[in-house]
Amino acid sequence: MEWKEHWGWHGGVEHREQWQRAKDAMLATADDTFVAIQNFPLPMRKPTPPPVSIIASLLIPTVAEASSRGSFGTKTGAAAFPTSPSDGICASSVIVHGYQCQEHNVTTADGYILSVQRIPQGRGAENNRGNGNTKQPVILQHGVLADGRIWLLNSPEQNLPLILADNGFDVWIANTRGTTFSRNHTSMDPSQPAYWIWTWDELASYDLPAVLDYVSSQTGGQKIHYVGHSLGTLMALASFSEGKLVNQVKSAALLSPIAYLSHMNSKLIDLAARFHMDELLRILGLSEFIPKGLPVQRCLRRLCALPGINCNNLLTALTGENCCLNSSAIDLFLINGPLSTSTRNLIHLAQVVRSGVLAKFKHFGQLESPIYNLSNIPQELPLFISYGGQDALSDVNDVGTLLDYYLKIHDDDKHRILFIKDYAHFDFVMGVNAKDIVYNEVVSFFNRQFN
């Protein structure tokens, strides 16, 4: 793919050379960074660029530093997940607990090869009756900067996939493109910028349909239950609003739903979005967003130094005051996470934060982009929605906006809303008491869907 296609550029070689000179100037000094942005007539430039010269100094690291792995946010002393895709999630996180687990690969229509894990049955004999064509299949979809291991950080008695397996479900764990075990492609490599040209639009229109189609083909065409957390809820809502997949889904459980982000009270993320940090990283050529890469670490350190930003506990600063996390689970998460995503994916999320509108990715120079109309979600689709009072990402006011769209048109007997006052974002996937508060409710909701 040519440079201009990757960056949405409509100028010629001369403009490209001019922009390269401007980019070089950005790296020279912090003050020159915003001068270069403001004075160069780029079609990709926002009408009002980030006005804070402090933020510019974050971007001095070179593009080459993006591949470096730092220690920011990591923990030591916990048993690590394997980082080699050859080891797999089954071996590290499921089979070790005495469960059967199968590794599958699913290829999307645009060529990404996704890793999917299947847990066909529970440990007890009473949970092993039936086969893949009689047990109810359920897909679990993680959020951004994570992969399927996020569901498996606690003990078997406390994590949702194994609880579902022990309750007789045929469990499938999805892993989106770009994560540790889903970095293959039919024709591209993660080292190529073109590999990272996607947002959650593509996750909703390619990854999710590919996984559902595959699971359906492996389970006799049964309708499928779905569980999404965070971005995994947005993928489902976007797809459902366009009438996709609804005929394949029996019911959906949305934990910490992300749709509208105007009231997000994570000051750290809100500040980064409103200062267009996402776009500045893209301008520097960072196609892959690596949370532990030096440019991102420097950005975080400077943001955390600004007034009103408290990063003593980075997990809390990003997700809210989680009430019920096991410290060993946090350590496991931080050893190999947070994981990569595409910079463009974060730009898209930041667009939702800044605009307050749930819309498709807005390309440079594009005045408007199509909106996802959630009122189009079929009213007969059973939905379970659970959100927390301390969640900094899935804010109660934004969830209220989602429910206003949804509850106005949804059948009363087809939904279940569960508000948990003390829960924040990660409590829904890592909370030690989530089984009693959330997961048992999800199992009960799924078992009530007989159509």
Side-chain angles (χ1 to χ4, degrees), residues 118-420:
R118 182 184 194 181
I119 308 170
Q121 59 189 35
R123 283 188 297 190
E126 69 277 9
N127 300 317
N128 297 334
R129 291 187 296 270
N131 55 45
N133 291 332
T134 58
K135 288 174 173 261
Q136 296 184 75
V138 55
I139 293 173
L140 285 82
Q141 178 61 64
H142 61 81
V144 70
L145 305 183
D147 65 8
R149 291 174 292 184
I150 194 75
W151 302 103
L152 296 160
L153 295 172
N154 286 327
S155 69
E157 295 76 24
Q158 295 175 331
N159 74 60
L160 182 55
L162 302 186
I163 290 171
L164 286 167
D166 283 339
N167 276 273
F169 290 89
D170 182 6
V171 180
W172 298 76
I173 301 174
N175 299 271
T176 58
R177 62 184 66 188
T179 54
T180 302
F181 303 97
S182 296
R183 294 176 71 87
N184 291 328
H185 191 277
T186 56
S187 63
M188 292 189 292
D189 185 87
S191 63
Q192 300 173 287
Y195 176 95
W196 299 98
I197 303 180
W198 50 265
T199 79
W200 52 265
D201 281 335
E202 283 71 34
L203 301 184
S205 59
Y206 290 106
D207 286 29
L208 190 54
V211 172
L212 260 77
D213 285 345
Y214 183 83
V215 172
S216 179
S217 71
Q218 297 292 309
T219 57
Q222 292 189 77
K223 283 194 171 186
I224 301 164
H225 296 292
Y226 178 86
V227 182
H229 174 251
S230 190
L231 191 70
T233 70
L234 179 54
M235 292 164 58
L237 289 169
S239 183
F240 296 161
S241 72
E242 295 191 324
K244 301 172 183 176
L245 309 181
V246 291
N247 292 328
Q248 294 173 273
V249 174
K250 178 175 287 190
S251 67
L254 309 180
L255 311 180
S256 291
I258 296 294
Y260 303 97
L261 298 172
S262 299
H263 297 90
M264 179 175 55
N265 57 43
S266 171
K267 292 183 180 179
L268 185 60
I269 296 178
D270 184 67
L271 187 66
R274 298 192 188 283
F275 282 165
H276 299 253
M277 294 286 299
D278 50 311
E279 302 236 24
L280 291 173
L281 288 170
R282 178 194 57 78
I283 287 171
L284 286 180
L286 300 178
S287 302
E288 178 182 4
F289 179 87
I290 305 174
K292 294 180 182 178
L294 289 180
V296 177
Q297 288 192 38
R298 292 190 184 185
C299 287
L300 282 172
R301 289 189 180 111
R302 289 299 183 90
L303 283 171
C304 289
L306 294 176
I309 304 296
N310 182 0
C311 295
N312 289 332
N313 184 327
L314 191 56
L315 199 63
T316 297
L318 292 170
T319 67
E321 191 70 44
N322 295 279
C323 70
C324 307
L325 303 188
N326 185 318
S327 60
S328 63
I330 297 174
D331 290 346
L332 282 173
F333 172 73
L334 291 177
I335 284 173
N336 288 318
L339 302 179
S340 294
T341 187
S342 74
T343 298
R344 184 175 289 213
N345 191 31
L346 296 186
I347 292 174
H348 194 181
L349 289 169
Q351 288 175 354
V352 177
V353 174
R354 291 190 287 260
S355 69
V357 176
L358 187 62
K360 294 180 182 290
F361 181 73
K362 186 176 181 181
H363 294 271
F364 312 117
Q366 185 179 4
L367 295 179
E368 295 182 354
S369 56
I371 292 175
Y372 289 103
N373 186 352
L374 299 189
S375 64
N376 289 336
I377 296 176
Q379 62 181 5
E380 65 273 12
L381 176 65
L383 290 180
F384 175 101
I385 295 176
S386 186
Y387 63 108
Q390 307 303 315
D391 199 327
L393 300 178
S394 180
D395 182 80
V396 292
N397 294 295
D398 290 326
V399 176
T401 302
L402 168 64
L403 295 180
D404 283 344
Y405 273 100
Y406 158 66
L407 291 180
K408 286 179 180 177
I409 54 88
H410 224 71
D411 291 347
D412 289 342
D413 61 346
K414 294 290 186 179
H415 69 256
R416 169 81 166 94
I417 310 300
L418 178 62
F419 173 69
I420 306 170

Side-chain angles (χ1 to χ4, degrees), residues 82-148:
T83 56
S84 170
S86 62
D87 293 330
I89 292 177
C90 279
S92 67
S93 307
V94 180
I95 295 174
V96 293
H97 297 301
Y99 290 78
Q100 294 183 26
C101 188
Q102 306 162 3
E103 295 281 356
H104 293 255
N105 288 322
V106 176
T107 303
T108 68
D110 57 346
Y112 290 84
I113 301 173
L114 312 179
S115 172
V116 177
Q117 290 71 45
R118 182 184 194 181
I119 308 170
Q121 59 189 35
R123 283 188 297 190
E126 69 277 9
N127 300 317
N128 297 334
R129 291 187 296 270
N131 55 45
N133 291 332
T134 58
K135 288 174 173 261
Q136 296 184 75
V138 55
I139 293 173
L140 285 82
Q141 178 61 64
H142 61 81
V144 70
L145 305 183
D147 65 8

